[in-house]
Amino acid sequence: QVQLVESGGGLVQPGGSLRLSCAASGFTFSSVAMRWYRQAPGKERELVAGISSTGGSTNYADSVKGRFIISSDNVKNTLYLQMNSLKPEDTAIYLCNVALLRNMLIRHYWGQGTQVTVSS
């Protein structure tokens, strides 16, 4: 059974930092790419960052480039998102995502999300 459990969210002042974690189980973590998404109230879900299975390739939304860093630990089966220089517009629920081939179909799995609020 695939499980993704996010943690690390909270309330932070503008300019502050947070580190999100996503503990994964139920699949071979080291063999798949992983992604962080976010969803703000009234807005569509947005891809924030992605990382390849080896960790050697990453990509970021323009809005977070230079401020956020995605990483993974294939021993701990955990995905991370280091968020620096946070802005009020970063306020959202952050979710980790994995896409897996199941019965010849690509299926997306999501965690429950962790709330990040950037406010003074």
Side-chain angles (χ1 to χ4, degrees):
Q1 180 183 0
V2 174
Q3 282 195 318
L4 300 171
V5 181
E6 301 96 335
S7 61
L11 173 64
V12 63
Q13 292 187 342
S17 297
L18 281 175
R19 188 194 195 202
L20 306 183
S21 300
C22 172
S25 61
F27 61 99
T28 306
F29 184 83
S30 59
S31 298
V32 297
M34 297 289 297
R35 299 168 189 84
W36 283 102
Y37 284 77
R38 67 186 180 187
Q39 186 154 23
K43 295 188 176 181
E44 291 189 357
R45 191 167 291 185
E46 173 190 22
L47 176 62
V48 175
I51 188 167
S52 65
S53 58
T54 62
S57 178
T58 58
N59 60 280
Y60 298 91
D62 287 343
S63 57
V64 307
K65 274 181 185 175
R67 300 189 298 122
F68 290 12
I69 301 171
I70 188 171
S71 63
S72 60
D73 185 327
N74 287 348
V75 174
K76 295 182 178 180
N77 288 355
T78 302
L79 178 71
Y80 301 100
L81 186 68
Q82 177 67 43
M83 305 187 296
N84 302 317
S85 303
L86 283 161
K87 305 175 181 180
E89 51 264 42
D90 294 319
T91 295
I93 296 173
Y94 284 71
L95 308 103
C96 65
N97 163 269
V98 64
L100 301 174
L101 183 64
R102 289 289 186 265
N103 298 321
M104 300 178 65
L105 295 174
I106 298 295
R107 179 176 176 182
H108 283 263
Y109 295 86
W110 302 88
Q112 82 289 348
T114 186
Q115 176 71 48
V116 172
T117 303
V118 185
S119 175
S120 54

